[in-house]
Amino acid sequence: MRWIAVAAALASLAACSKKKNADGLPPANQWSADQAGAEMPAAAAPGDPHAGMDMSNPHPGPVDPNGPNPHAGMDMSNPHAAGGGGTDVSQLGLPAPDPDRKIDPSHHVRGVIAVGGKAKVPAGSVVFLAAKRPGADGKPVDPPLAVERLTYQGGDLAFELGEAQAMVAGTELIGDVIITAHYAQNGDALSRAAGDVIGSARVKVPAEGVKITLDTVLP
């Protein structure tokens, strides 16, 4: 009887050794010394929030090959800082004008913008206007004294620049200035691209009847 009981116990142990345990490990008779001392797979390690993730690249997804946009957060469709909601010149390190400042109505330039030469400006296009002081070489220098955004509809386009269109605090529209009109094909006042058209006139404030001709096509 004793031999029968021993044989039954050995048969039971053999059957159990052929089954995998609840943790998915192989039967004990298939274990090796290397497997016995191996660590658990990383995916099954508890408490690892990065399990299964490719940590060689912490920023998966498409990458902008052109890098960050320096105009992010800036409304370049409206160059006015004074009107509120336009370009935030403080991002450029410049102070915005006081919206409650006193404006002298005599500090103005009025006139028309026309298209001439071989230049073509489609109706409905945006034309930017800026008043700047002339430098020693006669070319306009920053910062702008006043800016305006206009829509060209064909023919002569009337304009008026005054201190109400000032962009930077402390600037006055007085004395000798250069008024530049710029048709920007992409609608960006700061860009200069082939096919854009510009024109300018040098005047002394106040000025009336000024004519600026858009006739210089950028190469």
Side-chain angles (χ1 to χ4, degrees):
M1 296 296 292
R2 178 182 300 175
W3 289 108
I4 295 174
V6 171
L10 290 175
S12 177
L13 288 173
C16 291
S17 67
K18 293 180 180 179
K19 297 179 180 179
K20 289 187 177 182
N21 60 26
D23 295 331
L25 296 175
N29 61 0
Q30 297 179 15
W31 290 5
S32 66
D34 292 339
Q35 289 173 326
E39 296 181 357
M40 296 176 66
D48 181 6
H50 298 148
M53 297 175 61
D54 178 10
M55 295 312 296
S56 64
N57 179 12
H59 303 292
V63 177
D64 181 3
N66 296 320
N69 180 5
H71 295 158
M74 299 174 67
D75 179 12
M76 296 311 298
S77 66
N78 179 4
H80 294 171
T87 301
D88 183 2
V89 294
S90 63
Q91 295 185 19
L92 306 177
L94 301 172
D98 180 2
D100 298 322
R101 67 191 181 283
K102 185 177 180 180
I103 294 174
D104 189 332
S106 68
H107 297 171
H108 66 263
V109 178
R110 299 190 183 106
V112 295
I113 300 171
V115 178
K118 296 182 179 180
K120 294 182 180 180
V121 178
S125 298
V126 173
V127 174
F128 296 98
L129 200 63
K132 298 182 180 182
R133 297 202 184 285
D137 58 359
K139 296 181 180 180
V141 296
D142 287 324
L145 306 176
V147 294
E148 182 63 288
R149 181 181 187 273
L150 305 170
T151 302
Y152 179 73
Q153 297 295 358
D156 289 347
L157 175 62
F159 74 86
E160 178 176 356
L161 273 180
E163 291 181 343
Q165 287 83 36
M167 187 175 181
V168 181
T171 57
E172 294 182 283
L173 189 60
I174 56 175
D176 197 19
V177 299
I178 297 175
I179 310 295
T180 301
H182 172 208
Y183 158 54
Q185 299 170 95
N186 63 0
D188 185 346
L190 301 182
S191 71
R192 289 291 188 275
D196 284 6
V197 186
I198 60 174
S200 63
R202 186 165 178 169
V203 301
K204 188 172 182 178
V205 181
E208 302 279 352
V210 176
K211 185 172 183 178
I212 301 174
T213 304
L214 287 166
D215 56 2
T216 302
V217 181
L218 299 185

